[in-house]
Structure formats: structure tokens, C-alpha cells
């Protein structure tokens, strides 16, 4: 409910402020509109995640697999997450072999998976996962009670969605984690 209520409350508060302030300068108007837009986008992402989970649970998620140039897919994904990494001054090394096989994957859904995994890396760099919570991280709506990450935004759906997408591709999503050092997620996909 937090992921629904918070953006809705912020949208309502900023919209009411805009409506009730008789004289507001243009820069403040822009700032308020940007906040409303950001919160609406956050809400839309959460709703998209809920719809994805619902489709998965009912068996309604299908893949549109095509032979995919994995280098281009990785470049697309890296382009989406690199600004977040740079904004947090995270050193981000990419090591991709020169020759990658083309895989039969649903490019859009695989992009969602990798963006979810790398987005979590940005938010939780170095935290690691407590051993008693490791078995739960792929559960829907699971949120760690670790004080270092508890207050960070997120729906608790990203890893669940990523795991299901990888499973639908006939693959596996594995995790190895050391508390206070970090986590390593491995996506294993079949080569056709």
C-alpha cells in the first residue's frame, strides 16, 4: 500500500498547492509539475509491475522470442542504468566478451529483467542480503527489514518479475550474497 499511497498523496498535495496558491512564480510551478510527473511515473511503473505479476500468475504472460543480438540488448540496458550509476558516483565496469551468441529471447522482457537487476544494484550497492532473507528475495512484495535498505523505494516485485521472465525463457536466476559485501545475480539462459 505504501507504493500506492505515497505517490498518490504527493500528487494530491502538489496539485492542491498549485490550485490554491494565488501567486506562484513560474519556477515553482515547474518544480511542482515535475514532482507530480515523477510521482505519476512512479505510480505507473508500480501498476505495470502489478499487471505483469497478475499475468504471470494466471499464465497469461507470453514471450515474443526472436533471435536477438545480445550485445545490442546489453548496450540498451546499460544506456538505461548508466545515468543512475553516474548520479550515485558508482564505479560501473562492464566486461562483455567480444563474441556473444545470438539468443532466442523476448528482448523487451529480458531488458526488464536486466534493468530490474541493475536497478537493485544501484540502490543496494554493498549491502548484501542477510542469510535468513535470501530464500525470500524472489517472493512477491518481499521487502528486507535490514535498516540499511528498508527505507528505499521499491515495490518488492522486481526480483519476482525477473525470476519469472528468466524461467519462461527456460533459464535460471541465481544469487550469491555476502552481508556487507554485496550480491551477485547470475542469469543463465539456454543457447539454441
Amino acid at each position: 500500500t505504501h507504493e500506492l499511497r505515497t505517490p498518490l498523496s504527493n500528487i494530491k498535495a502538489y496539485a492542491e498547492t498549485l490550485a490554491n496558491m494565488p501567486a506562484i512564480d513560474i519556477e515553482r510551478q515547474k518544480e511542482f509539475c515535475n514532482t507530480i510527473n515523477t510521482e505519476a511515473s512512479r505510480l505507473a511503473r508500480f501498476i505495470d509491475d502489478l499487471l505483469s505479476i497478475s499475468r504471470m500468475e494466471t499464465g497469461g504472460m507470453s514471450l515474443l522470442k526472436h533471435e536477438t543480438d545480445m550485445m545490442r540488448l546489453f548496450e540498451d540496458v546499460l544506456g538505461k542504468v548508466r545515468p543512475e550509476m553516474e548520479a550515485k558516483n558508482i564505479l560501473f565496469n562492464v566486461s562483455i566478451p567480444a563474441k556473444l551468441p545470438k539468443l532466442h529471447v523476448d528482448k523487451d522482457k529480458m531488458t526488464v529483467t536486466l534493468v530490474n537487476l541493475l536497478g537493485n544494484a544501484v540502490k543496494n550497492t554493498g549491502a548484501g542480503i542477510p542469510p535468513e532473507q535470501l530464500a525470500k528475495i524472489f517472493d512477491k512484495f518481499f521487502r528486507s527489514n535490514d535498516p540499511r535498505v528498508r527505507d528505499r523505494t521499491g515495490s518488492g516485485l522486481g526480483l519476482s518479475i525477473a525470476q519469472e521472465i528468466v524461467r519462461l525463457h527456460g533459464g535460471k536466476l541465481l544469487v550469491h550474497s555476502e552481508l556487507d559485501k554485496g550480491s551477485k545475480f547470475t542469469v543463465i539462459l539456454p543457447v539454441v
Side-chain angles (χ1 to χ4, degrees):
T1 61
H2 172 76
E3 288 301 314
L4 287 171
R5 288 183 192 273
T6 301
L8 283 174
S9 296
N10 289 339
I11 290 168
K12 188 172 192 268
Y14 279 91
E16 285 175 354
T17 302
L18 277 173
N20 294 325
M21 287 184 87
I24 183 170
D25 66 82
I26 193 74
E27 288 306 312
R28 287 286 301 253
Q29 282 181 358
K30 287 180 183 177
E31 177 187 331
F32 283 22
C33 288
N34 285 337
T35 300
I36 289 169
N37 188 44
T38 299
E39 293 299 317
S41 296
R42 178 176 162 193
L43 189 57
R45 281 191 305 273
F46 181 67
I47 290 168
D48 288 343
D49 285 349
L50 283 174
L51 291 172
S52 292
I53 286 290
S54 177
R55 281 192 300 272
M56 286 180 209
E57 289 178 338
T58 61
M61 179 179 273
S62 60
L63 300 178
L64 297 171
K65 295 202 279 188
H66 300 284
E67 187 175 76
T68 302
D69 179 339
M70 295 306 290
M71 183 62 80
R72 288 186 65 193
L73 185 141
F74 290 142
E75 288 170 357
D76 290 348
V77 168
L78 296 174
K80 292 177 191 305
V81 297
R82 187 168 271 122
E84 290 180 67
M85 300 273 187
E86 290 171 355
K88 290 185 106 178
N89 293 320
I90 295 173
L91 180 61
F92 184 46
N93 290 320
V94 178
S95 177
I96 300 174
K99 284 265 192 183
L100 285 175
K102 289 187 177 185
L103 299 180
H104 279 79
V105 297
D106 183 316
K107 183 180 178 188
D108 292 337
K109 289 184 178 70
M110 195 52 60
T111 298
V112 167
T113 296
L114 297 175
V115 168
N116 277 342
L117 292 172
L118 291 171
N120 280 351
V122 171
K123 286 193 271 189
N124 304 309
T125 297
I129 302 164
E132 67 277 5
Q133 294 181 8
L134 205 52
K136 300 175 187 174
I137 63 165
F138 295 112
D139 293 351
K140 290 182 306 189
F141 303 110
F142 176 75
R143 302 270 310 185
S144 176
N145 59 8
D146 185 327
R148 295 171 299 164
V149 299
R150 182 178 38 227
D151 295 331
R152 295 185 183 149
T153 61
S155 63
L157 294 172
L159 289 177
S160 181
I161 290 169
Q163 182 185 46
E164 184 62 14
I165 290 170
V166 170
R167 187 192 67 76
L168 287 171
H169 279 86
K172 292 180 184 176
L173 178 55
L174 308 173
V175 61
H176 173 76
S177 187
E178 291 184 49
L179 201 55
D180 299 320
K181 289 189 178 178
S183 302
K184 176 182 175 181
F185 287 82
T186 304
V187 176
I188 301 172
L189 296 172
V191 176
V192 179

